[in-house]
């Protein structure tokens, strides 16, 4: 790279849940040319101004060709995507000479050893970071944002709040705080991060090279979430049925259900684990990039309102 700034950004998952917000935020900066790597037959609509390049994971050459000349690769795929896909992208980026990779993170702290031990779906993230380092051709910045607020609050088994039936299950006392991010904040995080100079006396990409970094919208408890729901819906505690359950018991029960093929068991174990009273879900003590990136403080009630709207079209059973 001859410039001290990233200008050409390739995104895998540019039309997905979080990817669309990243793409739109990058476009709004006016500083980046965005290329979307898309598979044949993809139905995701891309924002205007994005350059689509078709890829075929069974033909690695197509990945390398699509990544030629790019300054950065952003990977945002479903958490269930086989890690072989991530490895193929990492290897192609190295071969194409892409200097920066933002791997497929965008969730809770995958650098927390206890958390990744208990949640198997997080374990490949550490493997991918090591693969990038071992390859030695690219640098990574892994961005942990916590779970997505609008997505998670709309799923009753996730944050324990059933917006349709007006029931809530507090894990333990419902007072454990976790870090969580809205989709717009995730988008702003990526756009601001990739707008930093590569090298500078102050904030720059080189100072974040090969690190797990953190950003969020809110660090809040289930009780905080429910209070927001009360305000947005005009309801009170008397309108709701509220119960409590041991976080450890809920996690362990979810793991057993998952082993029996119940996808709800997976959701329960995945989410409940970050509510353990061990700080694993709260990254503010590690320090976030919010101030460095100029991320705004958000209105939780506005985010809750979006989650409520989303819950009307989301079915989990």
């Amino acid at each position: 790279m001859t410039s001290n700034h990233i200008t050409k950004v390739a995104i895998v998952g540019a039309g997905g849940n979080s990817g669309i917000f990243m793409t739109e935020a990058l476009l709004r900066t006016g500083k980046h040319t965005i290329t979307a790597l898309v598979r044949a037959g993809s139905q995701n609509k891309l924002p205007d101004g994005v350059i689509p390049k078709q890829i075929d994971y069974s033909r690695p050459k197509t990945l390398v060709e699509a990544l030629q000349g790019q300054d950065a690769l952003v990977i945002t795929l479903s958490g269930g995507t086989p890690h072989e896909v991530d490895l193929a992208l990492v290897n192609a980026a190295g071969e194409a000479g892409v200097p920066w990779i933002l791997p497929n993170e965008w969730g809770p702290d995958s650098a927390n050893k206890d958390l990744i031990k208990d949640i198997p779906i997080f374990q490949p993230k550490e493997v991918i970071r090591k693969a990038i380092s071992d390859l030695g051709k690219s640098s990574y910045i892994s961005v942990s944002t916590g779970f997505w607020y609008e997505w998670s609050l709309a799923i009753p088994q996730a944050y324990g709040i059933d917006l349709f039936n007006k029931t809530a299950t507090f894990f333990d006392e419902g007072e454990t705080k976790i870090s969580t991010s809205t989709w717009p904040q995730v988008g702003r995080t990526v756009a601001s991060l990739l707008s930093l100079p590569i090298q500078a006396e102050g904030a720059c990409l080189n100072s974040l090279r090969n690190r797990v970094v953190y950003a969020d919208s809110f660090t809040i408890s289930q009780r905080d979430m429910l209070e927001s729901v009360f305000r947005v819906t005009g309801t009170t505690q008397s309108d709701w049925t509220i119960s409590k359950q041991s976080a450890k018991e809920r996690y362990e029960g979810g793991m057993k259900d998952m082993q029996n093929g119940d996808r709800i068991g997976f959701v329960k174990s995945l989410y409940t684990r970050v509510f353990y009273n061990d700080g694993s879900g709260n990254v503010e003590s590690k320090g976030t990039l919010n101030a460095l990136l100029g991320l705004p403080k958000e209105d939780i009630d506005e985010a809750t309102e979006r989650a409520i709207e989303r819950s009307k079209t989301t079915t989990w059973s």
Side-chain angles (χ1 to χ4, degrees):
M1 291 178 62
T2 57
S3 169
N4 195 35
H5 285 82
I6 286 173
T7 58
K8 297 179 180 179
V9 180
I11 302 184
V12 181
N17 286 319
S18 63
I20 191 77
F21 288 91
M22 298 177 191
T23 303
E24 290 175 344
L26 283 162
L27 289 170
R28 282 195 298 271
T29 69
K31 301 175 181 178
H32 305 93
T33 300
I34 310 301
T35 297
L37 275 58
V38 296
R39 290 181 296 179
S42 173
Q43 299 300 310
N44 284 339
K45 188 178 185 305
L46 299 173
D48 293 340
V50 174
I51 303 167
K53 286 196 177 180
Q54 197 168 109
I55 58 170
D56 181 346
Y57 287 107
S58 67
R59 298 170 58 216
K61 182 181 177 181
T62 65
L63 304 182
V64 177
E65 290 174 348
L67 290 170
Q68 292 284 352
Q70 299 295 323
D71 299 327
L73 168 63
V74 179
I75 306 173
T76 170
L77 295 168
S78 163
T81 301
H83 80 277
E84 288 81 8
V85 171
D86 293 274
L87 283 174
L89 289 165
V90 165
N91 288 329
E95 188 173 340
V98 180
W100 294 93
I101 299 175
L102 271 58
N104 195 29
E105 295 274 351
W106 326 115
D109 184 9
S110 67
N112 184 298
K113 299 295 185 183
D114 291 333
L115 194 59
I116 64 170
K117 175 176 64 70
D118 290 344
I119 304 294
I121 198 173
F122 293 158
Q123 293 166 10
K125 298 182 186 299
E126 190 175 41
V127 173
I128 296 302
R129 293 196 296 268
K130 185 176 185 303
I132 297 171
S133 296
D134 289 348
L135 193 60
K137 296 181 179 180
S138 307
S139 299
Y140 70 80
I141 301 176
S142 290
V143 185
S144 169
T145 60
F147 287 121
W148 303 329
Y149 185 73
E150 308 97 313
W151 171 274
S152 305
L153 186 60
I155 302 171
Q157 297 83 2
Y159 283 165
I161 298 173
D162 188 329
L163 298 167
F164 181 78
N165 293 306
K166 293 188 178 65
T167 63
T169 301
F170 287 151
F171 313 149
D172 297 328
E173 296 299 316
E175 295 174 348
T176 301
K177 292 185 181 292
I178 65 158
S179 301
T180 183
S181 293
T182 66
W183 277 320
Q185 191 83 321
V186 173
R188 286 187 290 263
T189 299
V190 172
S192 296
L193 183 61
L194 294 183
S195 295
L196 291 175
I198 295 169
Q199 182 60 49
E201 289 294 325
C204 66
L205 291 174
N206 277 343
S207 68
L208 305 173
R209 181 190 298 272
N210 295 338
R211 286 176 50 191
V212 178
V213 299
Y214 306 93
D216 68 354
S217 295
F218 319 110
T219 293
I220 51 177
S221 68
Q222 287 179 286
R223 289 182 181 272
D224 296 327
M225 297 177 198
L226 190 56
E227 286 294 332
S228 177
V229 173
F230 290 164
R231 292 191 297 270
V232 172
T233 60
T235 58
T236 65
Q237 182 170 326
S238 63
D239 299 311
W240 286 66
T241 301
I242 301 173
S243 59
K244 298 177 185 178
Q245 184 178 10
S246 159
K248 189 172 186 294
E249 289 178 3
R250 184 180 176 89
Y251 162 79
E252 292 174 348
M255 290 295 287
K256 289 179 182 177
D257 291 343
M258 181 178 67
Q259 290 163 7
N260 291 328
D262 184 350
R263 69 170 183 158
I264 297 303
F266 166 72
V267 176
K268 285 183 175 180
S269 60
L270 175 68
Y271 277 90
T272 308
R273 180 59 185 83
V274 301
F275 283 95
Y276 274 26
N277 190 26
D278 60 0
S280 60
N282 182 344
V283 300
E284 289 205 344
S285 61
K286 292 190 169 186
T288 71
L289 294 184
N290 288 35
L292 183 146
L293 298 178
L295 299 179
K297 292 188 179 296
E298 297 174 276
D299 185 321
I300 189 173
D301 291 355
E302 290 179 1
T304 296
E305 190 167 3
R306 294 195 298 271
I308 290 170
E309 286 303 308
R310 186 178 174 277
S311 73
K312 296 175 182 176
T313 59
T314 301
T315 301
W316 282 79
S317 59

